Every structure is written in C-alpha cells, then in structure tokens.
Amino acid sequence: MDLDAAEEESAPEVHVPAEIDWKMLDKSKFFFLGAALFSGVSATLYPAVVLKTRQQVAQCHVSCIKTAFSVIRGEGFRALYRGFGTSLMGTIPARALYMATLEVTKSNVGTTATVRLGLAEPTAATIANAAAGLSAAMAAQLVWTPVDVVSQRLMVQGGPDSPRQYTNGIDAFRKILRNDGPRGLYRGFGISILTYAPSNAVWWASYSVTQRLVWGGIGYYLCKKCVDDRSETTSAGHEMRPDWKTVMAVQGVSAAMAGGMSALVTMPLDTIKTRLQVLEGDENGRRGPTVMQTVRNLVKEGGWMACYRGLGPRWASMSVSATTMITTYEFLKRLSTKNQEVLT
C-alpha cells in the first residue's frame, strides 16, 4: 500500500489550460480577428456544403464523388463556390452574433450554476456550454436563415434539375422577396431552429465532456509513463504543462467526435430544411411545401434513407468544420485576451 501511495504522490498532474471567459476578452480584437479567421474557414469548407446541398435536392441518390465530378465537368470548378459571396457577407454578422451570445451565456450560466446552485465545476461547465450553444444558435438563425435561403438557391441552380434563374445574390434576394414576400426569406426557419439549436446544445455539451475525457486519458498516460520511467518525471510538484500542439490536438479530436455525432443525429432534419428552403414556392402555391409534404416526397423517392442523402459530405464537413472552428476559436480567444499572463 505504501508503494502505491508513493507512486500516486509521484505521478504528474496535467495542467489543463484555463478557460477564457467573456470578461477577459478585448472585444474589438475578438470580432475583427474572428471575421478574418472564420472567413478563411468558410472558404475552405464551402465546396462540401455545395455538394451536400446538391445531393439533398436531387430526385435520386447520387454519390458525393459522382456529384463532384458532374458539377466540375458540367459547370466548371467555380460552381463549387456558387453563392459564396452571399454566404460570406451574411456569415460575418451571423458569426459575430453567435460568438457574442455564446460567450455571454456561457459566462453568466456558468457563474450561476457554480455559485448559486452549488454544482461541481465539470457539471456547471457542461450545463453552461449546452445553454450557450442553444441560445447562440437561436440568435444566429435570425441572420443565417435568409442567407441560407439565398445562397442555397444559388448553389443548386445550373444543375440538371435547376436552370439558372438568378444572376447573383442581390437578384435572388429581390426575386424571392417579390414572389414569396418576407416569409420566403425565412422559409425553413422553424425547422432550422429545431435542427441547429439542439444540435449546438448537444455539440457544446459533448465537446466539454469529451475534452475532459481526452485530457483524463492523457493524464493517465503521462502518469503511467512517469511511474515506469522515473527519469522523465518532472520536479516542482510533478506538474506537466502540455505544449500548444498537444492542446490543439486535444481540442481538435474532441471537436471532431462531437461534430460527427451531431451530424448523424440531425441529418434528417437538415435534409428537410434544405428541401423547404430550395424548392420554389410557385411550384406548390405561394405557401410552398409543408414539412409533412417534404417528408412524404423524400420517402416516396428513396425510403427513409433518402433523409440521409448528403450524409457523407455533411459528416466530413461538420467534423472538419468542428475541428477547424474550435481550434480557430480557441486560438482567437487567446489572441484576444486582454492580459496574456493569465494564459500561463
């Protein structure tokens, strides 16, 4: 027993980087650098979004690779970025609203859950992350839904089932507004909330839990390694401080796991949402198709698996997006911290 106790005392403690909350950030730097960094992320991942959207509105199942070759061969490489300008102009304010709501909610709910309710820090952090993801998604959809409607119309036009109708994003905006009114720009808003709000809540909560599990695994590995090889054990209380590469790797792995699961769970809702936003209103009357009509059409076309069309690109897009987004986001927060000494 004494030997075990000695080994436990000599095992290193992993110093997990401190959480940076809203009050610690330089807001102007946070929003300016955030717009630049996330614009680059959006540009990288946009082709996968286009392919996913094309697959979701297709009348029959076509693989992602065949869809990509068909688009490039028939419409050129630029077709993979059709609607990107519109998407980018809307994404910047939407992302700013998302980040502000996320950080404010996380900070306030975390404090309330810890201080007033007396919850343990890990539980409070998980609840705060879930509440922050839910509220941030709901706020951002006020901007994102009209942007999605316009950009998705541009994405699918020019394909075999959708002739060109719009010259650019402004033209699409005007025509949608003229034909369907303001409701046309918010088509699919309700199901967007049902898709993204729970998805974000689950994602941020899962990210918080997964990150702790991964750090726990790394701590166990380091403890075992130091017990086996005393020469590599550090002094000063045996505290192990991971370098920035390890920190980014843990964040990236945790984000990818949370993103992939979220994509799988919410895929049917995303397919229905995309159909509602892309289908023209005058083909089904001014009101456009209902949710139930859209579901029936999907099932008629390919059974319930039709609701999972585009899962491959969406899984890849959300996993890569989550990994890129969270590493970029955490890096952004560290760059925007008022007092850099708190990071050490």
Side-chain angles (χ1 to χ4, degrees), residues 26-56:
D26 180 333
K27 309 304 187 295
S28 58
K29 185 186 291 187
F30 180 68
F31 287 121
F32 177 77
L33 292 176
L37 289 171
F38 283 109
S39 294
V41 173
S42 298
T44 303
L45 300 173
Y46 194 77
V49 178
V50 172
L51 294 176
K52 184 262 305 181
T53 303
R54 288 289 186 100
Q55 284 188 286
Q56 287 177 324

Side-chain angles (χ1 to χ4, degrees), residues 217-240:
I218 290 177
Y220 175 81
Y221 169 77
L222 290 176
C223 291
K224 188 174 185 301
K225 181 179 179 183
C226 288
V227 168
D228 293 340
D229 187 1
R230 298 284 181 170
S231 64
E232 294 187 12
T233 305
T234 58
S235 56
H238 309 302
E239 185 177 68
M240 304 290 289

Side-chain angles (χ1 to χ4, degrees), residues 18-296:
E19 176 72 17
I20 301 170
D21 65 22
W22 179 248
K23 297 176 183 178
M24 299 163 63
L25 296 173
D26 180 333
K27 309 304 187 295
S28 58
K29 185 186 291 187
F30 180 68
F31 287 121
F32 177 77
L33 292 176
L37 289 171
F38 283 109
S39 294
V41 173
S42 298
T44 303
L45 300 173
Y46 194 77
V49 178
V50 172
L51 294 176
K52 184 262 305 181
T53 303
R54 288 289 186 100
Q55 284 188 286
Q56 287 177 324
V57 300
Q59 299 299 313
C60 60
H61 176 71
V62 182
S63 71
C64 176
I65 296 176
K66 286 184 178 179
T67 302
F69 278 115
S70 175
V71 170
I72 295 173
R73 184 172 58 250
E75 305 167 53
F77 183 78
R78 291 181 62 183
L80 294 176
Y81 280 91
R82 190 170 288 152
F84 176 67
T86 302
S87 178
L88 183 62
M89 292 304 294
T91 295
I92 292 175
R95 184 70 70 180
L97 181 60
Y98 182 94
M99 292 190 299
T101 307
L102 180 77
E103 289 301 325
V104 170
T105 306
K106 191 189 299 183
S107 178
N108 291 334
V109 173
T111 301
T112 301
T114 304
V115 178
R116 296 184 181 178
L117 300 181
L119 297 177
E121 195 275 330
T123 304
T126 302
I127 293 173
N129 274 277
L134 183 71
S135 58
M138 294 179 68
Q141 282 307 311
L142 294 171
V143 179
W144 253 320
T145 298
V147 172
D148 268 351
V149 170
V150 174
S151 61
Q152 287 173 347
R153 295 283 184 94
L154 295 173
M155 285 178 197
V156 300
Q157 73 171 3
D161 301 322
S162 180
R164 293 183 65 89
Q165 303 178 61
Y166 315 110
T167 55
N168 52 44
I170 296 176
D171 182 51
F173 177 83
R174 288 173 178 170
K175 288 180 177 177
I176 293 170
L177 197 60
R178 184 177 66 244
N179 294 333
D180 302 330
R183 289 180 62 182
L185 292 171
Y186 279 90
R187 183 180 293 173
F189 177 73
I191 201 165
S192 292
I193 294 294
L194 290 176
T195 301
Y196 293 121
S199 173
N200 273 261
V202 170
W203 190 92
W204 280 103
S206 300
Y207 172 69
S208 176
V209 172
T210 306
Q211 194 174 16
R212 290 179 182 278
L213 290 175
V214 174
W215 277 122
I218 290 177
Y220 175 81
Y221 169 77
L222 290 176
C223 291
K224 188 174 185 301
K225 181 179 179 183
C226 288
V227 168
D228 293 340
D229 187 1
R230 298 284 181 170
S231 64
E232 294 187 12
T233 305
T234 58
S235 56
H238 309 302
E239 185 177 68
M240 304 290 289
R241 290 179 177 267
D243 58 17
W244 65 271
K245 292 181 181 179
T246 304
V247 173
M248 290 189 68
V250 169
Q251 292 169 346
V253 170
S254 303
M257 293 169 64
M261 184 56 65
S262 180
L264 182 63
V265 171
T266 60
M267 186 67 211
L269 288 172
D270 186 69
T271 301
I272 296 167
K273 174 192 74 71
T274 301
R275 285 284 184 110
L276 288 171
Q277 292 177 332
V278 169
L279 292 179
E280 294 290 344
D282 53 9
E283 291 179 3
N284 302 275
R286 292 187 64 82
R287 294 179 60 188
T290 65
V291 173
M292 291 308 300
Q293 287 173 341
T294 303
V295 173
R296 282 196 293 267

